[in-house]
Amino acid sequence: MLGQLPILSAITFLPALGSVAVLLLCALMRDEDRAVADRNAKGIALFVTLVVFIFSIILLAAFDRHNADFQFVENVPWLPQLGINYKLGVDGLSVLFVVLTAFLMPICVLSSWNLDRRVADYMAAFLLLETLIIGVFCALDMILFYIFFEGSLIPMFLIIGVWGGQNRIYAAFKFFLYTFLGSVLMLAVMIVMYAQAGTTDIEALLATEFAPDLQIWLWLAFFASFAVKMPMWPVHTWLPDAHVQAPTAGSVILAGILLKLGGYGFLRFSIPMFPHASDYFAPMVFALSIIAIVVTSVIAFRQTDIKKLIAYSSVAHMGLVTMGIFTMTDVGMQGAIFQMISHGIISGALFLCVGVIYDRFHTREIAFYGGLVHRMPVFAALFGLFAMANVGLPGTSGFIGEIMTMTGAFQVDPRIAAGAALGVIFSAVYMLTAYRKVVFGKITNRRLETATDLNAREWINLGVLSAPVLYFGFFSTPITDTTRASVDNLISHYQSSLPVKAELPAETAPTEHVAP
């Protein structure tokens, strides 16, 4: 029954309609009480995002986990002269990211409840961003994917540039230019793919065999876009600036969702469409992943701004993701997807924790704090949970993703897993050191004497995020069962596309000499 309804279109475009409603409300109440208009804008945004989340849960409940094909497909001619359709669908590689996006958006709205500057524009930007992100995960036409993929830059650029910190303009333009320039190459090769295959349909392109030599160039162009989006070392430098300058909700959605677009792109395009090139470049990806895990962990340890520390931590964790994806193993790929889901929740929670203390004291300097456990015990407990999850403590979702990706890497080459393990050790050092400095010890700063613990809204946000961190730390099968069929299908397609390596002939057994 649900398959006959356009539920993906509803989930995708309902936030955009909400964005229009918020802006219209702002225009109609231009001369009315501004406080009332702002409160109504927040209410509409929260209501719309909650409805979208409910729809996403219905979608997940109706999703057939044993079916590797695309489900809930909507296919309508869009530009028939060019063979471009409006086509949406989800499979095990994408459906969880739709749910994750819908889950984080109401939290972003709640975390922005104290905003008092251009509130309607802010809420409209977040609602539009939700439409564009969900569209990326649902699009089954290459051009439609590109429109959503690039379109997501615009509201995020505005969120950083208008509501960000002191250096917000620099950070916003750096974010935009890095990600946009990488994506230009992707558009160019999409045109080449269209010329080769005669279609922009992703399902048809997955069944198309491109020449191995051509795959090299196609893969590199897609890699330029997805690597920046992750971001991978050394094209990661835009991320710390963007995180530090972005408002709290902007950092939550940036780390929680936008970084995952690159990993999703590798799974949807790079590996299944260009298997020869993926096999050829896998050692390079492993090298870049290990460098990212180790180097950015060391850099994170040297940070004095706690928000920048968490930003560098995100780069290191995305290194685990790319490593797991390119192991081309079942456990590695499933671990990479699990890690992306888990990191989306944990990193979002950590940025919210930073937002809690920043709202009170307007500084992110680690040296300013100390002894918060005496004034904010509940905050200290929840912050400790998310810090432990970030370093992969057993019993949290962070452990499952890390152990699965490293297991997949070990199956390929134990040296890769050893390099990743070194980075995990470093992550424990910088994260727990920062937590100790902020939370424990005596209060030496008199300003901290006035600190108050979490209010009801902050309680809801952090409490809701703590639930999946603990649940998936003990029960990982709801995620792995959802992704298994699609991952198995992806690996099977990848392996069948590679040339079969000739086996060495077995030594001929010595012929027994029979006397005449």
Side-chain angles (χ1 to χ4, degrees):
M1 178 66 180
L2 189 61
Q4 300 175 356
L5 300 176
I7 186 168
L8 293 182
S9 291
I11 293 174
T12 302
F13 291 103
L14 183 58
L17 294 176
S19 178
V20 173
V22 167
L23 293 176
L24 286 176
L25 174 69
C26 179
L28 292 174
M29 300 188 67
R30 189 182 304 275
D31 299 325
E32 303 294 333
D33 186 356
R34 178 54 55 191
V36 174
D38 291 347
R39 187 167 59 250
N40 289 340
K42 295 172 186 176
I44 292 174
L46 182 61
F47 174 77
V48 170
T49 53
L50 286 173
V51 170
V52 172
F53 176 60
I54 292 171
F55 281 1
S56 72
I57 295 299
I58 295 172
L59 174 73
L60 183 61
F63 183 81
D64 183 1
R65 298 181 177 184
H66 305 290
N67 185 357
D69 296 330
F70 290 103
Q71 302 177 40
F72 311 106
V73 175
E74 303 171 25
N75 192 4
V76 179
W78 181 24
L79 298 173
Q81 300 87 348
L82 300 176
I84 300 175
N85 293 339
Y86 169 81
K87 187 175 183 181
L88 302 179
V90 291
D91 64 354
L93 302 178
S94 58
V95 66
L96 291 176
F97 292 109
V98 174
V99 178
L100 178 63
T101 305
F103 173 67
L104 289 179
M105 276 297 177
I107 294 174
C108 289
V109 173
L110 277 177
S111 69
S112 307
W113 210 256
N114 289 336
L115 184 74
D116 57 2
R117 181 167 62 92
R118 302 186 66 173
V119 175
D121 296 336
Y122 181 87
M123 294 300 169
F126 263 99
L127 289 170
L128 180 60
L129 182 61
E130 182 174 19
T131 283
L132 295 169
I133 293 174
I134 292 177
V136 170
F137 297 125
C138 294
L140 289 185
D141 184 274
M142 191 166 54
I143 301 302
L144 189 63
F145 170 87
Y146 183 81
I147 291 172
F148 284 128
F149 189 84
E150 285 296 273
S152 63
L153 295 179
I154 299 173
M156 195 66 216
F157 172 80
L158 295 175
I159 289 168
I160 297 173
V162 176
W163 294 277
Q166 184 177 0
N167 295 322
R168 59 186 180 274
I169 302 300
Y170 168 78
F173 274 99
K174 190 174 183 180
F175 158 75
F176 186 89
L177 291 175
Y178 263 72
T179 50
F180 177 74
L181 291 176
S183 300
V184 167
L185 293 174
M186 183 172 68
L187 177 61
V189 300
M190 283 182 172
I191 297 173
V192 174
M193 293 169 66
Y194 174 75
Q196 290 282 320
T199 182
T200 58
D201 188 290
I202 290 178
E203 282 190 283
L205 290 169
L206 289 172
T208 302
E209 293 186 10
F210 297 98
D213 292 341
L214 179 61
Q215 285 190 28
I216 298 294
W217 299 106
L218 299 178
W219 190 94
L220 285 172
F222 274 94
F223 180 78
S225 180
F226 299 146
V228 172
K229 206 77 169 183
M230 289 290 289
M232 294 180 67
W233 185 91
V235 289
H236 67 286
T237 57
W238 63 267
L239 182 65
D241 292 320
H243 269 309
V244 168
Q245 298 303 321
T248 297
S251 292
V252 171
I253 209 65
L254 182 61
I257 299 296
L258 284 179
L259 301 190
K260 312 310 182 281
L261 299 185
Y264 174 74
F266 285 133
L267 292 167
R268 178 64 72 218
F269 291 91
S270 300
I271 293 177
M273 294 185 185
F274 320 124
H276 294 81
S278 296
D279 182 64
Y280 179 79
F281 285 112
M284 180 192 74
V285 175
F286 290 141
L288 294 177
S289 299
I290 298 304
I291 292 173
I293 294 169
V294 175
V295 172
T296 56
S297 294
V298 174
I299 295 174
F301 181 73
R302 301 293 300 169
Q303 299 306 308
T304 59
D305 184 316
I306 190 170
K307 204 174 185 184
K308 187 171 284 189
L309 181 148
I310 298 171
Y312 278 110
S313 172
S314 294
V315 178
H317 282 85
M318 290 303 98
L320 288 171
V321 169
T322 50
M323 180 189 73
I325 289 174
F326 281 87
T327 61
M328 316 296 183
T329 63
D330 178 78
V331 66
M333 284 191 171
Q334 289 216 62
I337 298 173
F338 195 105
Q339 177 74 355
M340 285 192 280
I341 300 295
S342 171
H343 178 264
I345 299 170
I346 295 169
S347 64
L350 286 172
F351 281 116
L352 283 176
C353 288
V354 175
V356 167
I357 55 178
Y358 183 80
D359 287 343
R360 286 158 172 76
F361 304 105
H362 304 290
T363 180
R364 295 182 296 267
E365 289 297 317
I366 296 174
F368 177 88
Y369 297 98
L372 283 181
V373 67
H374 303 295
R375 291 291 180 267
M376 305 174 67
V378 177
F379 167 80
L382 288 171
F383 186 24
L385 168 65
F386 298 128
M388 294 296 182
N390 196 53
V391 303
L393 180 73
T396 65
S397 60
F399 172 75
I400 303 298
E402 289 184 1
I403 196 66
M404 290 180 71
T405 55
M406 286 193 286
T407 300
F410 187 86
Q411 294 177 0
V412 175
D413 189 336
R415 293 172 297 180
I416 301 173
L422 183 63
V424 171
I425 294 172
F426 289 163
S427 72
V429 173
Y430 68 72
M431 197 70 229
L432 297 183
T433 299
Y435 180 73
R436 175 182 61 82
K437 291 180 178 179
V438 171
V439 172
F440 293 117
K442 296 181 180 179
I443 296 180
T444 58
N445 189 334
R446 290 186 176 181
R447 288 182 59 188
L448 299 179
E449 294 285 354
T450 61
T452 56
D453 214 340
L454 302 179
N455 58 38
R457 177 175 51 80
E458 294 164 343
W459 242 112
I460 292 173
N461 277 343
L462 296 179
V464 166
L465 288 171
S466 67
V469 170
L470 292 172
Y471 179 81
F472 291 128
F474 290 94
F475 306 100
S476 60
T477 52
I479 293 179
T480 56
D481 286 351
T482 303
T483 61
R484 179 171 290 112
S486 293
V487 168
D488 289 345
N489 183 64
L490 173 57
I491 294 174
S492 176
H493 173 78
Y494 167 80
Q495 292 176 343
S496 64
S497 300
L498 295 178
V500 179
K501 296 180 180 179
E503 297 183 359
L504 294 175
E507 294 185 5
T508 305
T511 304
E512 182 179 356
H513 178 70
V514 181

